[in-house]
Amino acid sequence: MTDAATRASSTLSERLDRLPFTRKHLRVLTGSGIGWALDAMDVGLISFIIAALAAQWSLTPTEASWIASVGFVGMAIGASVGGLLADRFGRRQVFALTLLVYGVATGASALVGGLAALLALRFLVGLGLGAELPVASTYVSEFAPARMRGRLIVILEAFWAVGWTVAALIGYFVIPASENGWRWAFALGAIPAAYALIVRWGLPESARWLERRGRFSQAESVVRSFEDAAGAAPAPASGRPTVPPAAATSLRQRLGTLWSAEFRVRTACLWLVWFCVNFSYYGAFIWIPSILVAQGYDLVRSFGFTLIITLAQLPGYAVAAWLIEVWGRRATLSVFLVGSAVSAIFFGTATGAGGVIAAGMALSFFNLGAWGALYAVTPEMYPTSLRATGSGWAAGVGRIASIVAPLVVPPLLVAGGAPVLFVVFAVFFAVAAAAAWGLVDRRGVALDDR
């Protein structure tokens, strides 16, 4: 059978899975990744801004914790609603809208004069941010060839480290520079509003989603553009493809199918992993600068330590990206979560600058590698008709933990200090490591296009 004939008899998904990595894939990956990095910059900035505002506005620990938690309330809602919207209206449109919403709200935060206005805007920021992350991972996974899909999603997640590093640089150089340093930090966070326009018009819609919605000619056009980029010969015109029946077609069906006999175990395990990882990650990393200040390090030195710790995220992602196609999703995720648990215990008991930095770097390495594996496995759990919904609701459940975590940190610090706090985080990491084995490992297997 000739190459053209093979392509004509193949589904759009099979044609996408056979392709090599091309400039078109790179454009999808970097276009989504830059949005991801800008999201991370926003989340990272708030940890530094909280430390600065706590001193400048004389905030109580509870007031400071609400600055973080109210954003996560928005993220929980945004993740759940964003996934549903992406399955209904498309990945690209929702991706661009979420960037616009949180970029504008972050920029407006630079103008606030009090806590109430800041909390309201942080909620809006959370709506956009919460919806964007699961939509972006779903979007990239639907273009990635099966043999490298996990690796590309981990690389996408690695843009988070880039954004957090930028946030750490801003926290180190900009925020302490003047009384209004935190305002300039927020202003820099408005960049995503402009980037949203580039995303909307510069990236293609998911061919798998277009096909599922019956827009066959548009789906064919997108796939052919990727084949052309790979140097493949043009495929002859073919009839309407045979599309497998959708696993769900309405909002009610999508939510119900998540808990059907086929998906209930993976949904329960996925939600548990997301909850535990969010609790430990945001509980630790949002508060690390403030914890270091409370231990006697000045603001600038605390931010400098956090910057060094943040840099360990990149090798964590790199190792996870390699292992996820060697060991598979579950093993990689579980090992990095166990590493996170051990590192958390060492960080909570570390003494001296060297010990704090070494343990913090280990925690950063393992925790962010685990995040990469989690984002890789999540879209693979569900078929195309409810992929964004499943990813969004898992992220939404996780955001409940990220709401709770910053609020429980102050009383845990009072009760037992950093050692008790980070033992609690270690327990949550260990539970997540066990739950990871209830997920389905689809390494090298085509996505489910129902």
Side-chain angles (χ1 to χ4, degrees):
M1 182 178 287
T2 66
D3 178 63
T6 300
R7 292 168 63 195
S9 63
S10 300
T11 65
L12 294 179
S13 298
E14 289 170 341
R15 288 160 60 187
L16 285 171
D17 282 338
R18 279 202 298 267
L19 290 174
F21 187 79
T22 68
R23 288 186 178 181
K24 294 281 289 186
H25 291 100
L26 181 62
R27 188 177 182 184
V28 166
L29 180 62
T30 56
S32 303
I34 292 171
W36 203 289
L38 292 170
D39 286 358
M41 185 177 76
D42 181 89
V43 176
L45 280 176
I46 201 64
S47 67
F48 296 100
I49 290 171
I50 286 172
L53 287 182
Q56 193 175 129
W57 287 1
S58 301
L59 300 177
T60 66
T62 299
E63 289 173 331
S65 64
W66 268 110
I67 296 176
S69 289
V70 75
F72 295 129
V73 173
M75 289 172 74
I77 297 171
S80 303
V81 175
L84 290 167
L85 292 176
D87 277 334
R88 174 66 180 85
F89 298 106
R91 300 3 180 169
R92 183 182 65 171
Q93 279 82 347
V94 175
F95 184 32
L97 178 62
T98 59
L99 285 168
L100 186 63
V101 168
Y102 98 82
V104 171
T106 297
S109 300
L111 306 176
V112 300
L115 182 61
L118 180 58
L119 291 177
L121 286 169
R122 290 306 302 170
F123 175 77
L124 293 177
V125 168
L127 284 178
L129 180 60
E132 191 274 328
L133 297 180
V135 173
S137 60
T138 297
Y139 176 72
V140 174
S141 72
E142 291 181 345
F143 279 110
R147 66 187 177 281
M148 65 181 79
R149 185 174 58 242
R151 185 162 296 158
L152 292 184
I153 299 301
V154 177
I155 293 172
L156 170 69
E157 232 284 296
F159 279 86
W160 184 271
V162 175
W164 198 285
T165 301
V166 172
L169 289 170
I170 294 172
Y172 185 74
F173 290 107
V174 176
I175 294 177
S178 69
E179 185 176 335
N180 290 320
W182 63 271
R183 296 186 186 274
W184 285 109
F186 273 137
L188 290 170
I191 293 174
Y195 179 70
L197 298 177
I198 300 174
V199 173
R200 174 63 179 83
W201 299 111
L203 297 179
E205 181 55 89
S206 165
R208 296 175 191 267
W209 180 83
L210 289 169
E211 183 182 52
R212 171 53 54 198
R213 301 298 296 181
R215 294 157 63 174
F216 302 112
S217 61
Q218 291 174 270
E220 174 68 22
S221 177
V222 171
V223 174
R224 285 201 180 193
S225 71
F226 276 77
E227 291 172 332
D228 290 342
S238 58
R240 175 174 295 193
T242 300
V243 181
T249 57
S250 66
L251 184 152
R252 181 185 294 274
Q253 286 181 351
R254 290 188 182 101
L255 295 178
T257 303
L258 295 180
W259 292 100
S260 65
E262 181 180 359
F263 298 109
R264 64 170 64 111
V265 171
R266 68 183 76 172
T267 294
C269 291
L270 192 63
W271 285 18
L272 183 57
V273 174
W274 271 90
F275 186 92
C276 292
V277 173
N278 269 273
F279 184 90
S280 295
Y281 174 77
Y282 286 106
F285 282 88
I286 288 291
W287 279 94
I288 279 178
S290 299
I291 290 171
L292 293 175
V293 169
Q295 290 180 347
Y297 299 103
D298 61 43
L299 197 64
V300 174
R301 199 175 185 201
S302 167
F303 287 2
F305 285 178
T306 306
L307 173 59
I308 296 171
I309 289 170
T310 299
L311 293 175
Q313 295 180 10
L314 287 170
Y317 284 124
V319 174
W322 175 62
L323 289 177
I324 203 162
E325 300 294 2
V326 177
W327 288 355
R329 280 60 162 147
R330 289 181 300 193
T332 302
L333 177 57
S334 183
V335 167
F336 273 81
L337 287 169
V338 170
S340 299
V342 174
S343 300
I345 294 173
F346 278 115
F347 185 84
T349 56
T351 57
V356 168
I357 291 174
M361 291 180 72
L363 180 59
S364 189
F365 174 92
F366 284 109
N367 197 184
L368 276 297
W371 269 117
L374 181 56
Y375 269 104
V377 74
T378 299
E380 297 180 345
M381 293 299 96
Y382 304 105
T384 299
S385 57
L386 68 146
R387 182 168 297 122
T389 298
S391 299
W393 275 76
V397 169
R399 299 311 175 193
I400 296 173
S402 62
I403 296 166
V404 175
L407 296 175
V408 302
V409 166
L412 283 174
L413 284 172
V414 171
V420 169
L421 176 66
F422 280 85
V423 165
V424 171
F425 293 152
V427 170
F428 274 80
F429 280 133
V431 171
W437 291 96
L439 305 178
V440 175
D441 197 318
R442 297 184 64 86
R443 177 181 52 157
V445 179
L447 290 174
D448 185 345
D449 282 321
R450 288 179 292 164

